[in-house]
Amino acid sequence: MTLSTAKKVSNSALAPYADLLCDWLATQEDEMIQCLQELVDTDSNSYDKDGVDAAGKLMASWLEADGIECRWHKSVSSGDVLEARIASGFDKKDAQPAIYLMGHRDTVFPKGTTATRGFTRDGMTAFGPGVADMKSGLVLNCFVLRGLQYLLNNSDLTELPHPVVGLFTGDEEIGSPEGRHVIQQMVKGAKAVFNAEPGRISGNVVSARKGGASFEILVKGKAAHSGVNHADGASAIGGLALIITELHALTNYETGVTTNVGLISGGMSSNTVASDATAKLDLRYITKDQMDETIDAIQAIVDRPRLNGVTASVRLISAFHPFESSMSDVLLAHYQKQAESLGFTVEGEFTGGCSDAGFTSSMGVPTLCGTGPVGAKMHTDGELCLLDTFVPRTQAVAKSVLLLP
């Protein structure tokens, strides 16, 4: 994979502007933290459309105050997708492929969480729901956009080498059922994607991720009294138990494929043969081929007859494509060069969690993930963000965007 060498302005000519950009960002730490507090204190659970949209409107207010154009892509159930553009109006056809800064506004925390557990800080460590995953990354991307607009407003630079677009969805934590369509439509043919999921606690960015899929399994049997006429029944729970055993046998730690039935329900009472049972299955994989092969295997297991009178079906709820390292190698090297110029070193890291980076990388777009501030303990009450990583990692993304060849 190679990045295009086409460019309007040489990197040497852009270097003074990159320095000016980083100097401005260095003065913005207090405002970054203030914006983070406001965003964390805005509830935005994936199923709370009003809250997710409120978080987006807050972000749009920061961007529009600096003259950055914003527009919305409506969603039916999820938060609307916010699009923000630098150096390319919505009514103009881009002459160059755009660079995308991506992130999701939704969190896993229930509506009302901020009322009892909002933003707090202990020195340069911040806490709160979604503070790392990924509201700090959203703030980072907003300040990259604001910094680029600052350059255009306060220097003799009249245009950026490439259009830069912020794309902020509202449903990643539930598999991006609506947001994925906007991503796939807009990012096709893009120059590059920087997805500001939290940086790893090691300080690394994410250069590869597993893909993941979620399934619902429905099993139908026949009810009967467990004492009077047990033989007349057909246990849906019994059938589900046999299915689960085979599904878990698909796990292969050497190849990285894992299956996990994490939720089950069924039956009416202990003295009734169960007529219904359901299960939720999580699947993880490293490559697209593994994804296709394992989904076929799951379907075959569910379809296989086991007990007389028991039938089963499976429904795919959501799926993330894997983010394979071949789609990050060149962009990672470019980011590392900018980070080194700012005084810190960073490596690429593999993680088992999924993200929207899988969609963009699977489309052949060079992608780097985990470019947000460093965080830890995501999806827990102890979630944290290291605030002293805010400025340098914002500078690294901003330089990477401006100087991308």
Short mmCIF file of all heavy atoms in Angstrom, two decimals, residues 4-18 21 86-88 92-100 144 147-149 151-152 155-165 190-192 334 397-405:
data_model
loop_
_atom_site.label_atom_id
_atom_site.label_comp_id
_atom_site.label_asym_id
_atom_site.label_seq_id
_atom_site.Cartn_x
_atom_site.Cartn_y
_atom_site.Cartn_z
N SER A 4 -0.49 8.39 -2.13
CA SER A 4 -0.23 9.20 -3.32
C SER A 4 0.86 10.24 -3.05
O SER A 4 0.95 10.79 -1.96
CB SER A 4 -1.51 9.92 -3.75
OG SER A 4 -1.24 10.88 -4.72
N THR A 5 1.68 10.51 -4.04
CA THR A 5 2.71 11.53 -3.89
C THR A 5 2.27 12.88 -4.45
O THR A 5 3.03 13.85 -4.43
CB THR A 5 4.00 11.10 -4.61
OG1 THR A 5 3.69 10.85 -5.99
CG2 THR A 5 4.57 9.84 -3.99
N ALA A 6 1.04 12.93 -4.96
CA ALA A 6 0.53 14.20 -5.51
C ALA A 6 0.33 15.21 -4.39
O ALA A 6 -0.19 14.89 -3.34
CB ALA A 6 -0.78 13.95 -6.23
N LYS A 7 0.78 16.45 -4.60
CA LYS A 7 0.62 17.49 -3.59
C LYS A 7 0.70 18.86 -4.25
O LYS A 7 1.31 19.05 -5.28
CB LYS A 7 1.68 17.36 -2.50
CG LYS A 7 3.11 17.28 -3.02
CD LYS A 7 4.07 16.94 -1.91
CE LYS A 7 5.48 16.72 -2.44
NZ LYS A 7 6.41 16.32 -1.39
N LYS A 8 0.08 19.82 -3.61
CA LYS A 8 0.08 21.18 -4.16
C LYS A 8 1.30 21.96 -3.69
O LYS A 8 1.84 22.77 -4.42
CB LYS A 8 -1.19 21.91 -3.72
CG LYS A 8 -2.48 21.30 -4.23
CD LYS A 8 -3.66 22.10 -3.71
CE LYS A 8 -4.98 21.52 -4.17
NZ LYS A 8 -6.12 22.26 -3.63
N VAL A 9 1.71 21.73 -2.43
CA VAL A 9 2.78 22.49 -1.83
C VAL A 9 3.76 21.52 -1.19
O VAL A 9 3.34 20.53 -0.58
CB VAL A 9 2.24 23.46 -0.75
CG1 VAL A 9 3.36 24.34 -0.20
CG2 VAL A 9 1.11 24.33 -1.32
N SER A 10 5.06 21.77 -1.34
CA SER A 10 6.05 20.86 -0.77
C SER A 10 6.02 20.92 0.75
O SER A 10 5.64 21.93 1.35
CB SER A 10 7.45 21.22 -1.27
OG SER A 10 7.85 22.47 -0.73
N ASN A 11 6.44 19.81 1.39
CA ASN A 11 6.46 19.78 2.85
C ASN A 11 7.43 20.81 3.42
O ASN A 11 7.19 21.37 4.49
CB ASN A 11 6.85 18.38 3.34
CG ASN A 11 5.65 17.46 3.40
OD1 ASN A 11 4.57 17.82 2.95
ND2 ASN A 11 5.83 16.27 3.94
N SER A 12 8.53 21.06 2.71
CA SER A 12 9.47 22.07 3.20
C SER A 12 8.83 23.46 3.23
O SER A 12 9.06 24.25 4.15
CB SER A 12 10.73 22.08 2.34
OG SER A 12 10.41 22.37 0.98
N ALA A 13 8.00 23.74 2.23
CA ALA A 13 7.30 25.02 2.20
C ALA A 13 6.23 25.09 3.28
O ALA A 13 5.90 26.17 3.79
CB ALA A 13 6.69 25.26 0.83
N LEU A 14 5.67 23.93 3.64
CA LEU A 14 4.61 23.90 4.65
C LEU A 14 5.15 23.87 6.08
O LEU A 14 4.40 24.12 7.03
CB LEU A 14 3.72 22.67 4.43
CG LEU A 14 2.75 22.73 3.25
CD1 LEU A 14 2.13 21.36 3.00
CD2 LEU A 14 1.65 23.77 3.50
N ALA A 15 6.44 23.57 6.24
CA ALA A 15 7.00 23.41 7.58
C ALA A 15 6.78 24.62 8.48
O ALA A 15 6.40 24.46 9.66
CB ALA A 15 8.49 23.08 7.47
N PRO A 16 6.97 25.86 8.00
CA PRO A 16 6.72 27.01 8.89
C PRO A 16 5.26 27.09 9.34
O PRO A 16 4.98 27.51 10.47
CB PRO A 16 7.09 28.22 8.03
CG PRO A 16 8.02 27.69 6.99
CD PRO A 16 7.52 26.30 6.70
N TYR A 17 4.35 26.69 8.47
CA TYR A 17 2.93 26.70 8.85
C TYR A 17 2.63 25.62 9.89
O TYR A 17 1.81 25.81 10.77
CB TYR A 17 2.06 26.50 7.60
CG TYR A 17 2.24 27.58 6.57
CD1 TYR A 17 2.97 27.33 5.41
CD2 TYR A 17 1.73 28.86 6.76
CE1 TYR A 17 3.16 28.33 4.45
CE2 TYR A 17 1.92 29.85 5.81
CZ TYR A 17 2.63 29.58 4.66
OH TYR A 17 2.82 30.57 3.73
N ALA A 18 3.32 24.48 9.76
CA ALA A 18 3.15 23.42 10.75
C ALA A 18 3.64 23.90 12.12
O ALA A 18 3.02 23.61 13.16
CB ALA A 18 3.91 22.17 10.33
N LEU A 21 1.03 26.27 13.47
CA LEU A 21 -0.12 25.48 13.92
C LEU A 21 0.15 24.88 15.29
O LEU A 21 -0.70 24.95 16.20
CB LEU A 21 -0.40 24.39 12.89
CG LEU A 21 -1.46 23.34 13.20
CD1 LEU A 21 -2.81 23.99 13.45
CD2 LEU A 21 -1.55 22.33 12.05
N ILE A 86 -13.06 21.76 6.22
CA ILE A 86 -12.06 22.83 6.12
C ILE A 86 -11.61 22.92 4.67
O ILE A 86 -11.30 21.92 4.03
CB ILE A 86 -10.82 22.51 6.98
CG1 ILE A 86 -11.20 22.42 8.46
CG2 ILE A 86 -9.73 23.57 6.79
CD1 ILE A 86 -11.54 23.74 9.09
N ALA A 87 -11.56 24.12 4.14
CA ALA A 87 -10.98 24.40 2.82
C ALA A 87 -11.73 23.76 1.67
O ALA A 87 -11.18 23.54 0.61
CB ALA A 87 -9.51 23.96 2.77
N SER A 88 -12.98 23.43 1.88
CA SER A 88 -13.77 22.88 0.79
C SER A 88 -15.24 23.02 1.15
O SER A 88 -15.73 22.35 2.04
CB SER A 88 -13.43 21.41 0.56
OG SER A 88 -14.27 20.86 -0.43
N LYS A 92 -18.88 22.61 -3.37
CA LYS A 92 -17.77 22.48 -4.31
C LYS A 92 -17.35 21.03 -4.46
O LYS A 92 -17.38 20.27 -3.50
CB LYS A 92 -16.56 23.31 -3.84
CG LYS A 92 -16.80 24.80 -3.82
CD LYS A 92 -15.52 25.61 -3.64
CE LYS A 92 -14.46 24.96 -2.83
NZ LYS A 92 -13.31 25.82 -2.59
N LYS A 93 -16.93 20.68 -5.65
CA LYS A 93 -16.39 19.34 -5.87
C LYS A 93 -14.91 19.37 -5.54
O LYS A 93 -14.15 20.17 -6.08
CB LYS A 93 -16.59 18.90 -7.33
CG LYS A 93 -16.12 17.49 -7.61
CD LYS A 93 -16.46 17.06 -9.02
CE LYS A 93 -15.93 15.67 -9.33
NZ LYS A 93 -16.47 14.65 -8.45
N ASP A 94 -14.49 18.49 -4.61
CA ASP A 94 -13.10 18.49 -4.18
C ASP A 94 -12.19 18.09 -5.33
O ASP A 94 -12.39 17.07 -5.99
CB ASP A 94 -12.89 17.51 -3.02
CG ASP A 94 -13.65 17.94 -1.77
OD1 ASP A 94 -13.91 19.14 -1.64
OD2 ASP A 94 -13.96 17.06 -0.95
N ALA A 95 -11.14 18.89 -5.54
CA ALA A 95 -10.15 18.55 -6.56
C ALA A 95 -9.20 17.49 -6.06
O ALA A 95 -8.59 16.76 -6.84
CB ALA A 95 -9.37 19.81 -6.95
N GLN A 96 -9.06 17.39 -4.74
CA GLN A 96 -8.17 16.41 -4.12
C GLN A 96 -8.98 15.52 -3.19
O GLN A 96 -9.96 15.95 -2.59
CB GLN A 96 -7.08 17.13 -3.31
CG GLN A 96 -6.14 17.98 -4.14
CD GLN A 96 -5.06 17.15 -4.81
OE1 GLN A 96 -4.81 16.01 -4.45
NE2 GLN A 96 -4.43 17.72 -5.83
N PRO A 97 -8.56 14.26 -3.02
CA PRO A 97 -9.21 13.41 -2.02
C PRO A 97 -9.06 14.03 -0.63
O PRO A 97 -8.03 14.63 -0.32
CB PRO A 97 -8.45 12.08 -2.13
CG PRO A 97 -7.79 12.11 -3.46
CD PRO A 97 -7.48 13.54 -3.74
N ALA A 98 -10.07 13.87 0.20
CA ALA A 98 -10.06 14.49 1.52
C ALA A 98 -9.39 13.61 2.55
O ALA A 98 -9.33 12.38 2.42
CB ALA A 98 -11.49 14.80 1.96
N ILE A 99 -8.88 14.24 3.60
CA ILE A 99 -8.41 13.57 4.80
C ILE A 99 -9.53 13.65 5.83
O ILE A 99 -10.07 14.75 6.07
CB ILE A 99 -7.14 14.23 5.34
CG1 ILE A 99 -6.01 14.13 4.30
CG2 ILE A 99 -6.71 13.58 6.66
CD1 ILE A 99 -4.78 14.95 4.65
N TYR A 100 -9.88 12.53 6.44
CA TYR A 100 -11.00 12.49 7.38
C TYR A 100 -10.51 12.33 8.81
O TYR A 100 -9.64 11.50 9.10
CB TYR A 100 -11.96 11.34 7.03
CG TYR A 100 -12.86 11.67 5.88
CD1 TYR A 100 -12.42 11.54 4.57
CD2 TYR A 100 -14.15 12.15 6.09
CE1 TYR A 100 -13.24 11.86 3.49
CE2 TYR A 100 -14.98 12.48 5.03
CZ TYR A 100 -14.52 12.33 3.74
OH TYR A 100 -15.34 12.66 2.68
N VAL A 144 -7.92 20.07 16.02
CA VAL A 144 -7.18 19.97 14.77
C VAL A 144 -7.87 20.80 13.69
O VAL A 144 -7.23 21.58 12.97
CB VAL A 144 -7.03 18.50 14.33
CG1 VAL A 144 -6.41 18.42 12.93
CG2 VAL A 144 -6.18 17.72 15.32
N GLY A 147 -7.46 24.44 14.49
CA GLY A 147 -6.10 24.87 14.24
C GLY A 147 -5.83 25.11 12.76
O GLY A 147 -5.17 26.09 12.38
N LEU A 148 -6.35 24.22 11.92
CA LEU A 148 -6.19 24.40 10.48
C LEU A 148 -6.93 25.65 10.00
O LEU A 148 -6.43 26.39 9.14
CB LEU A 148 -6.69 23.15 9.75
CG LEU A 148 -5.86 21.88 9.99
CD1 LEU A 148 -6.58 20.67 9.40
CD2 LEU A 148 -4.47 22.01 9.39
N GLN A 149 -8.09 25.90 10.57
CA GLN A 149 -8.83 27.12 10.21
C GLN A 149 -8.08 28.36 10.70
O GLN A 149 -8.04 29.39 10.02
CB GLN A 149 -10.23 27.08 10.82
CG GLN A 149 -11.15 28.20 10.35
CD GLN A 149 -11.48 28.08 8.87
OE1 GLN A 149 -11.84 27.01 8.38
NE2 GLN A 149 -11.34 29.18 8.15
N LEU A 151 -4.88 28.67 10.84
CA LEU A 151 -3.83 28.91 9.85
C LEU A 151 -4.35 29.71 8.67
O LEU A 151 -3.72 30.67 8.21
CB LEU A 151 -3.27 27.58 9.34
CG LEU A 151 -2.15 26.90 10.10
CD1 LEU A 151 -1.66 25.69 9.32
CD2 LEU A 151 -1.00 27.86 10.37
N LEU A 152 -5.50 29.29 8.16
CA LEU A 152 -6.06 29.97 6.99
C LEU A 152 -6.49 31.40 7.31
O LEU A 152 -6.48 32.27 6.43
CB LEU A 152 -7.24 29.17 6.44
CG LEU A 152 -6.92 27.76 5.92
CD1 LEU A 152 -8.19 27.04 5.49
CD2 LEU A 152 -5.92 27.82 4.76
N SER A 155 -2.56 33.49 8.52
CA SER A 155 -1.29 33.38 7.81
C SER A 155 -1.56 33.64 6.34
O SER A 155 -2.70 33.85 5.93
CB SER A 155 -0.67 31.99 8.01
OG SER A 155 -1.35 31.01 7.24
N ASP A 156 -0.48 33.60 5.55
CA ASP A 156 -0.66 33.79 4.11
C ASP A 156 -0.95 32.48 3.38
O ASP A 156 -0.96 32.44 2.15
CB ASP A 156 0.55 34.50 3.50
CG ASP A 156 1.84 33.71 3.70
OD1 ASP A 156 1.80 32.63 4.33
OD2 ASP A 156 2.89 34.18 3.24
N LEU A 157 -1.18 31.42 4.13
CA LEU A 157 -1.59 30.15 3.53
C LEU A 157 -3.04 30.28 3.08
O LEU A 157 -3.93 30.53 3.89
CB LEU A 157 -1.44 29.00 4.53
CG LEU A 157 -1.70 27.59 4.00
CD1 LEU A 157 -0.61 27.18 3.01
CD2 LEU A 157 -1.75 26.59 5.16
N THR A 158 -3.28 30.14 1.80
CA THR A 158 -4.62 30.37 1.27
C THR A 158 -5.45 29.11 1.13
O THR A 158 -6.68 29.18 1.04
CB THR A 158 -4.55 31.06 -0.10
OG1 THR A 158 -3.78 30.23 -0.99
CG2 THR A 158 -3.87 32.42 0.02
N GLU A 159 -4.80 27.95 1.09
CA GLU A 159 -5.55 26.69 1.02
C GLU A 159 -4.68 25.57 1.56
O GLU A 159 -3.45 25.66 1.59
CB GLU A 159 -5.98 26.38 -0.42
CG GLU A 159 -4.84 26.20 -1.39
CD GLU A 159 -5.33 25.88 -2.79
OE1 GLU A 159 -6.51 25.54 -2.95
OE2 GLU A 159 -4.51 25.96 -3.72
N LEU A 160 -5.33 24.52 2.01
CA LEU A 160 -4.63 23.34 2.51
C LEU A 160 -4.29 22.43 1.34
O LEU A 160 -4.95 22.46 0.30
CB LEU A 160 -5.51 22.60 3.51
CG LEU A 160 -5.93 23.38 4.76
CD1 LEU A 160 -6.86 22.53 5.62
CD2 LEU A 160 -4.72 23.84 5.56
N PRO A 161 -3.26 21.58 1.50
CA PRO A 161 -2.91 20.66 0.41
C PRO A 161 -4.05 19.72 0.03
O PRO A 161 -4.16 19.31 -1.11
CB PRO A 161 -1.72 19.89 0.97
CG PRO A 161 -1.17 20.74 2.05
CD PRO A 161 -2.33 21.50 2.63
N HIS A 162 -4.88 19.39 1.03
CA HIS A 162 -6.02 18.50 0.79
C HIS A 162 -7.20 19.00 1.62
O HIS A 162 -7.01 19.56 2.70
CB HIS A 162 -5.71 17.06 1.20
CG HIS A 162 -4.56 16.46 0.45
ND1 HIS A 162 -4.70 15.90 -0.80
CD2 HIS A 162 -3.25 16.35 0.77
CE1 HIS A 162 -3.53 15.47 -1.21
NE2 HIS A 162 -2.63 15.72 -0.28
N PRO A 163 -8.42 18.81 1.15
CA PRO A 163 -9.58 19.10 2.00
C PRO A 163 -9.52 18.24 3.26
O PRO A 163 -9.05 17.10 3.22
CB PRO A 163 -10.77 18.71 1.13
CG PRO A 163 -10.25 18.68 -0.27
CD PRO A 163 -8.81 18.30 -0.17
N VAL A 164 -9.98 18.80 4.37
CA VAL A 164 -10.00 18.07 5.64
C VAL A 164 -11.43 18.07 6.16
O VAL A 164 -12.07 19.12 6.23
CB VAL A 164 -9.05 18.71 6.67
CG1 VAL A 164 -9.09 17.92 7.97
CG2 VAL A 164 -7.62 18.77 6.12
N VAL A 165 -11.92 16.88 6.50
CA VAL A 165 -13.32 16.71 6.89
C VAL A 165 -13.39 16.02 8.24
O VAL A 165 -12.76 14.99 8.47
CB VAL A 165 -14.08 15.87 5.84
CG1 VAL A 165 -15.55 15.70 6.25
CG2 VAL A 165 -13.97 16.49 4.46
N ALA A 190 -11.00 8.26 -0.09
CA ALA A 190 -10.37 9.31 0.70
C ALA A 190 -8.85 9.17 0.69
O ALA A 190 -8.29 8.10 0.40
CB ALA A 190 -10.89 9.27 2.13
N LYS A 191 -8.18 10.24 1.03
CA LYS A 191 -6.72 10.26 1.13
C LYS A 191 -6.25 9.46 2.34
O LYS A 191 -5.31 8.67 2.27
CB LYS A 191 -6.25 11.70 1.24
CG LYS A 191 -4.75 11.89 1.37
CD LYS A 191 -4.07 11.67 0.06
CE LYS A 191 -2.57 12.02 0.17
NZ LYS A 191 -1.88 11.71 -1.09
N ALA A 192 -6.88 9.68 3.48
CA ALA A 192 -6.49 9.01 4.72
C ALA A 192 -7.56 9.26 5.78
O ALA A 192 -8.37 10.18 5.66
CB ALA A 192 -5.14 9.52 5.21
N HIS A 334 4.34 7.84 8.91
CA HIS A 334 4.21 9.30 8.76
C HIS A 334 3.88 9.94 10.11
O HIS A 334 4.49 10.95 10.50
CB HIS A 334 3.13 9.61 7.74
CG HIS A 334 2.82 11.06 7.58
ND1 HIS A 334 3.72 11.98 7.06
CD2 HIS A 334 1.69 11.78 7.89
CE1 HIS A 334 3.17 13.18 7.05
NE2 HIS A 334 1.94 13.09 7.55
N VAL A 397 -1.42 14.84 15.29
CA VAL A 397 -2.43 14.63 14.25
C VAL A 397 -2.46 15.82 13.31
O VAL A 397 -2.52 15.67 12.08
CB VAL A 397 -3.82 14.39 14.87
CG1 VAL A 397 -4.90 14.35 13.79
CG2 VAL A 397 -3.84 13.08 15.67
N ALA A 398 -2.41 17.03 13.87
CA ALA A 398 -2.47 18.23 13.04
C ALA A 398 -1.30 18.28 12.05
O ALA A 398 -1.49 18.57 10.86
CB ALA A 398 -2.48 19.47 13.92
N LYS A 399 -0.10 18.00 12.54
CA LYS A 399 1.06 17.98 11.63
C LYS A 399 0.93 16.86 10.60
O LYS A 399 1.30 17.05 9.42
CB LYS A 399 2.35 17.81 12.42
CG LYS A 399 2.82 19.04 13.18
CD LYS A 399 4.25 18.88 13.68
CE LYS A 399 5.27 18.97 12.55
NZ LYS A 399 6.67 18.96 13.06
N SER A 400 0.44 15.71 11.03
CA SER A 400 0.28 14.59 10.12
C SER A 400 -0.67 14.94 8.99
O SER A 400 -0.47 14.57 7.83
CB SER A 400 -0.22 13.35 10.87
OG SER A 400 0.74 12.90 11.81
N VAL A 401 -1.74 15.65 9.32
CA VAL A 401 -2.72 16.05 8.33
C VAL A 401 -2.12 17.10 7.37
O VAL A 401 -2.22 16.98 6.14
CB VAL A 401 -3.98 16.62 9.01
CG1 VAL A 401 -4.90 17.29 7.99
CG2 VAL A 401 -4.73 15.49 9.73
N LEU A 402 -1.50 18.11 7.93
CA LEU A 402 -0.99 19.21 7.11
C LEU A 402 0.15 18.75 6.19
O LEU A 402 0.25 19.20 5.04
CB LEU A 402 -0.51 20.35 8.00
CG LEU A 402 -0.03 21.61 7.28
CD1 LEU A 402 -1.17 22.24 6.49
CD2 LEU A 402 0.55 22.61 8.28
N LEU A 403 0.98 17.85 6.68
CA LEU A 403 2.19 17.46 5.95
C LEU A 403 2.05 16.11 5.22
O LEU A 403 3.05 15.61 4.71
CB LEU A 403 3.37 17.40 6.90
CG LEU A 403 3.71 18.69 7.65
CD1 LEU A 403 4.90 18.49 8.59
CD2 LEU A 403 3.98 19.83 6.67
N LEU A 404 0.84 15.57 5.16
CA LEU A 404 0.66 14.28 4.50
C LEU A 404 1.00 14.42 3.01
O LEU A 404 0.41 15.26 2.32
CB LEU A 404 -0.78 13.79 4.67
CG LEU A 404 -1.06 12.36 4.20
CD1 LEU A 404 -0.29 11.36 5.05
CD2 LEU A 404 -2.56 12.06 4.29
N PRO A 405 1.96 13.62 2.52
CA PRO A 405 2.37 13.79 1.11
C PRO A 405 1.31 13.31 0.13
O PRO A 405 0.41 12.57 0.49
CB PRO A 405 3.64 12.95 1.03
CG PRO A 405 3.51 11.93 2.12
CD PRO A 405 2.73 12.60 3.21
#
